[in-house]
Amino acid sequence: MDTTARTDDELAALDIAALLRHGLTATRGSLRTSLFGDGAVGAAVLLDRLGTEPRSVAFLAETVRAGGVAHALTLPEPLPRPEAAGLVRGWLESAATLAGGVPADDTTARWLRAVASILELRRSVRR
């Protein structure tokens, strides 16, 4: 297990789309751990820098849980701000390329919920 501390800039530079492609349908192990660890924190850093509200990401997570990734991609704006919407749309597109069905949709929803939680934690620590 890699226990190297990473800066926000290093986490933000991660290829989140690739982590999603490889981690969403992986069996439990290092790929899934990377997705829910560094990947979720990196995503939260990026969304935080764009001023995204945690509740918006949590709402998107519930939308994915209820209707799936394909449904979320039909939303004209999956997050309120255009920059954040474009960013998360790319992540959703990566998730949609998988033939993972409901399990991949559920994992995507759990990952988005983790991102929302990390985003909220980051904001509460700054207050």
Side-chain angles (χ1 to χ4, degrees):
M1 174 187 259
D2 182 9
T3 58
T4 306
R6 291 180 171 75
T7 66
D8 280 1
D9 288 338
E10 290 170 327
L11 292 165
L14 292 173
D15 187 345
I16 305 297
L19 288 170
L20 285 163
R21 277 192 309 276
H22 297 289
L24 284 176
T25 57
T27 56
R28 303 214 183 269
S30 63
L31 292 173
R32 184 68 63 91
T33 300
S34 292
L35 175 61
F36 276 85
D38 289 349
V41 176
V45 168
L46 290 167
L47 291 172
D48 192 24
R49 290 177 177 177
L50 294 173
T52 306
E53 292 291 330
R55 67 177 178 257
S56 299
V57 181
F59 182 79
L60 178 60
E62 291 308 313
T63 301
V64 170
R65 184 175 310 285
V69 172
H71 171 70
L73 277 169
T74 67
L75 299 171
E77 198 170 68
L79 290 176
R81 296 195 167 139
E83 298 85 7
L87 182 64
V88 80
R89 183 173 302 286
W91 299 340
L92 292 171
E93 287 169 351
S94 288
T97 64
L98 304 169
V102 173
D105 287 344
D106 287 346
T107 303
T108 303
R110 281 196 324 273
W111 179 78
L112 286 166
R113 188 67 179 137
V115 172
S117 296
I118 294 165
L119 188 53
E120 179 62 31
L121 179 63
R122 290 174 60 84
R123 289 184 173 209
S124 69
V125 168
R126 279 199 306 261
R127 283 187 214 133

